[in-house]
Amino acid sequence: MQKRIFSRTGILRMNQSILLDIDSLWQRFGCEEIAIAEGYEVVHFDDDMKLRRYYEFECQDQPEAKQILVIDHGALYVPMDITRRYPVIMLSLQELFPTLDCDVLAKLPGLDFDHLAFIADQLPLQKMDKQQTWKLCTESLRTTACAESYANALLDEAVSLAKAAVSHRDWTPVAIHYGKAAMFQHSGIAIQGFYMKQQQIEAAFVKWIDTKYSMLSGVVDRKRPVLLSKVNDFIRKGNDKIALIVMDGMSFENFFTIQRIIEQEPFIYDVQASFSFFPTVTSVARQSIFSGKLPQEHSKPFSLENEEKQWVAYWREHGYRDQEIAFFKEEEPEIPMLAKVVGIVVNICDDLMHDELQGMSGLQQGVENWAKNMHLVNLLQTLQERGFAIYLTADHGNTSAVAEGRFVKPGVLAEPASRRAVIYQSFADAIELDKFTTERYSGTYLPDGYTAYLFDAGTSYGDRGKEYITHGGMTLEEAVVPFVKIGAYNG
């Protein structure tokens, strides 16, 4: 979508311009960040007098400055003398998709607009009516004819980005591209060389983790909490009423599956990513989310018995009273009227994966069926009506693995259902490992006194030869999880 916006508007080919953002697309699709990286000063206006004052006092002496003046919603009058110097550019759904009915597009805020932009130039030149546009967006985009080339392009881009990744930021687009591609693959859209390309991504990811992961605890990023232990610090900045929904076990593929099902609902999504902790198991990662601490700071790193207390303690330390802090483990909780910070655990993805017998395709179907029951939609609507800033994340993701056999003496397993990690309280206890393809984990962020072994990608323990949907290891799908701010969409 970014490419289409820049191509259609030509805004990065001009030094100075005024952008009439009719449908609020500029920031929604991350264009501002790109423009700033290209050296532009971007200034927003929602008042005629502010525009006039800025032009008179800030622009007159900077004839060569690279500037984009954004008129949000395109509702302001731009005086003639300003337009003589600054070309006025229209940005709207109609400008981007002239052959489609844009009233329909406005009713699908959760639509994958990147997908639509990818195939837009392949569509018939004649204008589509409302019914044709609706069918295209809600049905045709998911068919082989419209999805195959897009899915292949997504995976190829994910491979390219993974091989070039330097910063933690570089893994967000990899996870997004791969997650969407995997969703198509497991819905029956065959991607050429999917598993070979998946292996290339995982190889690049493990190599990066080995050299860069230990430094992440000291990195600050204004767009996302880099590690899950930074989620609370991130969400409390600039918000007074906060709701954090933790979808246990949700990968990017699962998130995009949910988003596709509820695409007609009035929500918009700022999709970022955070890094989980190794081993990627619930007890380690979810504690860190709710406590705001690294796993090595927890007295019981492989137990969830204190997570509600940890959530309450964090927010109490930051000025909230006990009656303003709430914590739930249910999909549609009764939120107290006095609550200002709410933590909510939803277990559906984790529950589905551990009961799934039909592989990733079966998991996708289960997630789709759950999303259709409207529990999440009802929760989001309730939170929005109550004035909460809403964030959605996960403690870990999931991946497909084939079991190499069982342990006779399995050691200290963090979770019986997590089949891609085994933890011992002493190195001497680590026996039977010669039967499995595992690597000893360096122990970054884990407390002393534990030794973890992680299974290689695609492998796990369990009934030999059986495929499991599980977690615990070091793949991209398990370790890089969605971090999403969900806002209200008003059309």
Side-chain angles (χ1 to χ4, degrees), residues 208-431:
W208 187 91
I209 288 291
D210 285 345
T211 58
K212 301 291 182 67
Y213 181 68
S214 63
M215 296 181 280
L216 294 185
S217 60
V219 177
V220 177
D221 189 321
R222 67 179 184 86
K223 294 284 289 185
R224 58 187 71 80
V226 179
L227 286 169
L228 288 178
S229 57
K230 295 297 184 182
V231 165
N232 285 353
D233 290 345
F234 186 91
I235 64 178
R236 69 181 171 86
K237 295 175 181 177
N239 299 301
D240 181 50
K241 293 185 69 174
I242 304 157
L244 175 65
I245 304 170
V246 178
M247 300 283 291
D248 196 317
M250 181 183 70
S251 66
F252 267 93
E253 177 182 348
N254 303 149
F255 168 73
F256 289 126
T257 298
I258 293 169
Q259 185 183 6
R260 184 167 71 173
I261 294 300
I262 64 173
E263 63 187 2
Q264 300 175 38
E265 302 301 329
F267 311 123
I268 54 174
Y269 310 87
D270 179 7
V271 182
Q272 302 296 333
S274 294
F275 284 80
S276 185
F277 294 99
F278 302 113
T280 47
V281 295
T282 299
S283 55
V284 173
R286 212 165 79 191
Q287 274 199 90
S288 287
I289 294 175
F290 290 125
S291 69
K293 297 179 179 179
L294 295 169
Q296 64 199 28
E297 299 175 84
H298 296 144
S299 60
K300 296 181 178 180
F302 299 108
S303 169
L304 287 169
E305 65 182 71
N306 293 322
E307 62 178 341
E308 181 173 357
K309 293 178 181 177
Q310 292 167 330
W311 172 256
V312 172
Y314 176 90
W315 293 104
R316 189 186 291 150
E317 289 171 6
H318 289 87
Y320 288 83
R321 297 173 294 174
D322 285 358
Q323 61 265 41
E324 295 174 328
I325 308 167
F327 185 86
F328 301 97
K329 292 184 180 180
E330 54 186 293
E331 295 178 4
E332 291 190 64
E334 291 290 333
I335 300 171
M337 291 306 297
L338 293 177
K340 288 188 174 181
V341 287
V342 181
I344 302 170
V345 175
V346 178
N347 280 315
I348 187 64
C349 292
D350 205 61
D351 291 344
L352 286 172
M353 82 172 81
H354 295 313
D355 292 334
E356 184 52 57
L357 301 177
Q358 302 300 319
M360 298 299 279
S361 298
L363 176 59
Q364 183 177 125
Q365 186 62 53
V367 171
E368 286 185 355
N369 291 338
W370 175 79
K372 290 174 184 177
N373 71 24
M374 301 297 281
H375 288 312
L376 180 62
V377 170
N378 294 339
L379 174 60
L380 295 177
Q381 288 177 339
T382 298
L383 292 169
Q384 285 187 345
E385 290 167 2
R386 295 277 298 276
F388 285 91
I390 305 170
Y391 297 87
L392 180 76
T393 192
D395 49 356
H396 58 78
N398 58 79
T399 190
S400 174
V402 176
E404 298 179 318
R406 290 190 172 275
F407 286 91
V408 176
K409 296 181 179 180
V412 182
L413 294 179
E415 299 169 22
S418 171
R419 298 180 177 276
R420 289 187 22 80
V422 58
I423 299 95
Y424 301 95
Q425 286 188 315
S426 76
F427 179 72
D429 294 332
I431 58 176

Side-chain angles (χ1 to χ4, degrees), residues 61-74:
D61 297 329
Q62 302 184 65
E64 303 301 322
K66 296 176 71 173
Q67 295 175 320
I68 300 174
L69 309 185
V70 180
I71 310 298
D72 294 307
H73 308 295

